[in-house]
Amino acid sequence: MVFINSNVSSWNLGFGMWPTAQDKVSVQFSRVLADKRLSPIQFGQATRVEVDQGIVNPIAGVTRRHLSDDIFVEYMRVVTPNVYLTAGYSFSVPGPGIDSIVTQAKAPTWHGGFVNLIVNY
């Protein structure tokens, strides 16, 4: 999730399973939307100028509400009662809202991952 403003909302669907007592796999799908069109979706987002049929219009935010579809997959392993290993991968496919504010025809898909070791003592 790259959006840090209250002008976004999301629909989420998640699924988790425990193949063993020590292993958990979860998947989450999110559809991220702008609550209001033409309102900034990130703090500090500048106004830009768009020309439509020869008319100059200052625009802030996005012109379409659908910002992205995100998939997040996480694996957790309980190594001991005090040690947990987690790993995750996510990708986000930009929607028409994000495509409307980039200079290329289509915004690239965003990818990210992590590995985390938690030790409680």
Side-chain angles (χ1 to χ4, degrees):
M1 307 283 279
V2 297
F3 312 107
I4 50 173
N5 190 318
S6 60
N7 187 33
V8 295
S9 61
S10 67
W11 292 93
N12 301 298
L13 176 65
F15 172 77
M17 65 179 184
W18 292 260
T20 71
Q22 293 83 22
D23 298 295
K24 178 184 178 189
V25 178
S26 60
V27 178
Q28 181 174 331
F29 170 79
S30 300
R31 170 150 291 193
V32 182
L33 305 168
D35 282 334
K36 296 178 184 174
R37 291 182 323 107
L38 303 176
S39 179
I41 57 172
Q42 188 170 11
F43 295 114
Q45 183 180 15
T47 301
R48 64 192 183 285
V49 175
E50 289 188 357
V51 179
D52 184 23
Q53 298 179 4
I55 300 172
V56 177
N57 296 308
I59 295 177
V62 294
T63 57
R64 310 273 305 269
R65 288 191 65 222
H66 180 200
L67 299 177
S68 69
D69 291 319
D70 302 345
I71 301 286
F72 176 65
V73 179
E74 183 179 40
Y75 168 75
M76 182 181 75
R77 170 80 179 177
V78 179
V79 180
T80 72
N82 296 334
V83 179
Y84 302 87
L85 175 66
T86 58
Y89 173 75
S90 67
F91 65 94
S92 180
V93 179
I98 294 300
D99 286 339
S100 74
I101 60 173
V102 296
T103 55
Q104 64 266 34
K106 180 101 175 103
T109 299
W110 304 307
H111 300 268
F114 71 92
V115 175
N116 191 19
L117 181 66
I118 301 167
V119 179
N120 294 317
Y121 59 93

